[in-house]
Amino acid sequence: VQLQASGGGWVQAGGSLRLSCAISGRTISSLYMYWIRQVPGKEREFVAAIRWFGDATYYGDSVKGRFTISRDNPKNMAYLQMNNLKPEDTAVYYCAADPGLVESSMASSPGNYAYYGQGTQVTVSS
């Protein structure tokens, strides 16, 4: 199983980006999908999660009201729409997947997920 995040880039504060996560090797309909981010030198931070059919979503406090996680099971894709971006959102963003819900307190460790992908850099300038 491989997860590949894409869609990162450079944006000015207040702008928007949409990240995509492509999954290959299995269907995602039985997986929670996650977005996690990491600033160099800091611990990974839980960003968002979405349940199997999108019927429940979860967000880190720092992104609530600005980011939206979504999924397209037939396409085996997950997304993160990021609006009103701030310089403190600058990080490498990773997508991950697991059959169950990984508690946010445990979200920082890649070993707690069944699958963990490559990241995409997001840079927000002030």
Side-chain angles (χ1 to χ4, degrees):
V1 176
Q2 290 188 326
L3 283 71
Q4 180 63 57
S6 63
W10 178 88
V11 64
Q12 287 189 320
S16 299
L17 282 173
R18 187 192 194 208
L19 304 184
S20 299
C21 178
I23 302 92
S24 59
R26 67 165 288 175
T27 179
I28 69 167
S29 58
S30 60
L31 298 173
Y32 280 75
M33 298 301 301
Y34 298 84
W35 288 96
I36 302 97
R37 67 187 183 186
Q38 185 173 29
V39 176
K42 294 189 176 181
E43 192 172 271
R44 288 180 175 89
E45 177 188 8
F46 169 79
V47 175
I50 186 167
R51 202 156 62 180
W52 309 300
F53 298 103
D55 53 321
T57 55
Y58 312 84
Y59 295 94
D61 289 340
S62 61
V63 306
K64 282 180 182 176
R66 300 188 297 120
F67 290 11
T68 302
I69 188 171
S70 61
R71 63 192 295 157
D72 187 334
N73 288 349
K75 293 184 178 179
N76 250 31
M77 296 287 294
Y79 306 97
L80 185 69
Q81 177 67 42
M82 305 185 295
N83 297 330
N84 190 23
L85 282 160
K86 304 176 181 180
E88 51 264 41
D89 295 318
T90 295
V92 178
Y93 285 71
Y94 300 88
C95 61
D98 195 273
L101 179 63
V102 178
E103 295 294 332
S104 58
S105 61
M106 300 177 64
S108 63
S109 174
N112 289 330
Y113 300 90
Y115 311 108
Y116 204 90
Q118 300 287 336
T120 185
Q121 175 72 45
V122 172
T123 303
V124 185
S125 64
S126 57

